[in-house]
Amino acid sequence: MSELVHRPRRLRRREGVRALVREARLAPENLILPLFACPGEGVRKEVSSMPGVFNLSTDQVAREASAAFDAGVPAVILFGLPESKDETATGAYADRGVVQEAVRAVRRAAPEMVVIADTCLCEYTSHGHCGVVREGEVLNDESLELLARTAVSQAAAGADIVAPSAMMDGQVGAIRAGLDESGFEHVAVMSYAVKYASAFYGPFREAADSAPAFGDRRAYQMDAANAREAMREAELDVMEGADFLMVKPAGPYLDILRQVRDRFDLPLAAYHVSGEYAMLKAAAQRGWIDEKRAMLETLTGIRRAGADVILTYYAVEAARALNRR
Ligand code: PBG
């Protein structure tokens, strides 16, 4: 007779048992699909560093959003590539701006889909920084007014949620006040509360044509080494009225996700960013990893670390894989 009493393997014997005791669950309803809206009609231009991700004209954004909704993905987050860029990011808060039009198009095509608008200036400024620049400095307080205007125009177009990602101090409060003054007190704020200055945003900047023309974003995005500072950023955003918190990127910052989850009770989002997606795609294209398994393992790890929802370019692929199981 065996001496062993404890045999964890009993609960791993077959899939039915494993599924019964599974702790973290990954489901299509946890996923948010990012889309890049551009001018024109019938445009589907693939981003070279992000296979399967496209710059899409409004009509194509509507098509892609409907297909995602049909696959079980409940939400999209919209980014914009405007017709032209300038010093004051006019395209970010234009009534007929590219994101504003994309919001309306998704509303029409998939009325039940949750529409989130990314609220930042970097895609719309000629210098590619996330705020107003003077003498080589990204000015904080001057940028807040433009971010609030942007959020209000996105809400007016029909966004359910605005997601400020500029990392300006006080942006959540300024946007909350702006929305409330304009009668949009029902529009929620998903704050990119904890956003690190990361090499993993590289492919996104190709997709959104938003690489800074000079310098980098280290004077406003966070230093990769800091965890306590992340708690402070999250706390400030809670105080300013955020409805969701976000940690970004996801994979290299799973400890931060766990800490934010343990400290704060707001719904928590994680952004599985462009570089994380590109790495998996590149390895899979070379046949070096099993893409589907690596994708699901990555997203499950992000859920296990504490994320309620995950923004990922894999949203539709993952939803389809999960539906087939
Ligand atoms: C805009 C913004 C960025 C991302 C999301 N919102 C780029 C940046 O900060 O440079 C990155 C997302 C990704 O890499 O997938 N500020």
Side-chain angles (χ1 to χ4, degrees):
M1 219 175 50
S2 156
E3 299 287 295
L4 269 181
V5 174
H6 300 287
R7 292 182 181 272
R9 286 184 54 187
R10 288 180 196 122
L11 301 185
R12 293 181 206 139
R13 280 185 59 231
R14 59 195 188 92
E15 178 51 24
V17 182
R18 289 192 294 272
L20 204 58
V21 301
R22 192 157 288 140
E23 298 177 33
R25 305 262 171 188
L26 178 67
E29 53 266 31
N30 303 126
L31 305 175
I32 299 173
L33 175 69
L35 292 175
F36 297 97
C38 70
E41 225 200 290
V43 181
R44 292 180 69 81
K45 185 171 158 271
E46 194 164 32
V47 180
S48 66
S49 53
M50 299 174 77
V53 175
F54 300 81
N55 291 341
L56 303 164
S57 51
T58 311
D59 56 307
Q60 300 296 310
V61 166
R63 220 180 90 178
E64 204 82 357
S66 301
F69 191 78
D70 292 342
V73 175
V76 286
I77 179 163
L78 301 173
F79 297 90
L81 291 92
E83 196 89 60
S84 63
K85 307 191 185 220
D86 58 31
E87 289 280 309
T88 51
T90 312
Y93 42 85
D95 286 339
R96 299 266 148 211
V98 71
V99 159
Q100 289 76 4
E101 294 291 41
V103 168
R104 292 184 187 100
V106 176
R107 283 253 85 97
R108 279 193 300 269
E112 282 166 68
M113 189 148 223
V114 177
V115 183
I116 308 171
D118 182 84
T119 308
C120 195
L121 306 182
C122 62
E123 300 131 58
Y124 309 92
T125 49
S126 39
H127 46 68
H129 278 289
C130 301
V132 177
V133 167
R134 196 173 309 135
E135 287 161 25
E137 285 268 339
V138 179
L139 303 178
N140 195 84
D141 299 16
E142 287 78 350
S143 303
L144 294 180
E145 192 200 326
L146 298 186
L147 288 167
R149 260 171 88 171
T150 302
V152 168
S153 75
Q154 294 166 337
D160 299 289
I161 301 175
V162 295
S165 64
M167 286 299 278
M168 296 297 125
D169 294 334
Q171 64 182 10
V172 171
I175 286 171
R176 186 69 272 157
L179 289 171
D180 293 354
E181 276 161 29
S182 303
F184 296 115
E185 49 289 290
H186 53 279
V187 171
V189 177
M190 175 185 281
S191 172
Y192 287 69
V194 182
K195 178 171 174 181
Y196 289 91
S198 173
F200 294 101
Y201 305 153
F204 174 96
R205 292 179 190 170
E206 184 205 335
D209 183 25
S210 65
F214 65 90
D216 54 38
R217 302 208 201 292
R218 286 172 207 274
Y220 41 106
Q221 299 180 349
M222 284 180 56
D223 190 289
N226 293 358
R228 290 195 306 269
E229 189 187 348
M231 300 308 115
R232 192 165 148 67
E233 280 285 2
E235 189 171 359
L236 289 170
D237 287 3
V238 171
M239 291 189 311
E240 289 174 34
D243 298 288
F244 283 81
L245 297 173
M246 192 197 300
V247 171
K248 176 186 173 200
Y253 300 92
L254 294 179
D255 58 324
I256 307 296
L257 269 171
R258 171 46 56 195
Q259 287 179 51
V260 173
R261 162 45 68 237
D262 288 346
R263 288 265 273 269
F264 302 94
D265 292 327
L266 290 182
L268 179 59
Y271 202 139
H272 179 244
V273 302
S274 57
E276 299 179 83
Y277 173 84
M279 286 194 300
L280 289 176
K281 279 282 169 197
Q285 281 185 347
R286 283 161 184 73
W288 290 350
I289 52 165
D290 176 334
E291 182 175 18
K292 184 180 148 196
R293 288 188 54 204
M295 162 185 81
L296 293 175
E297 184 176 334
T298 298
L299 298 175
T300 299
I302 295 167
R303 287 273 294 146
R304 191 195 60 240
D308 297 299
V309 293
I310 307 172
L311 297 85
T312 176
Y313 304 95
Y314 269 126
V316 175
E317 267 181 85
R320 291 197 176 128
L322 292 165
N323 292 336
R324 275 200 295 303
R325 280 216 292 230

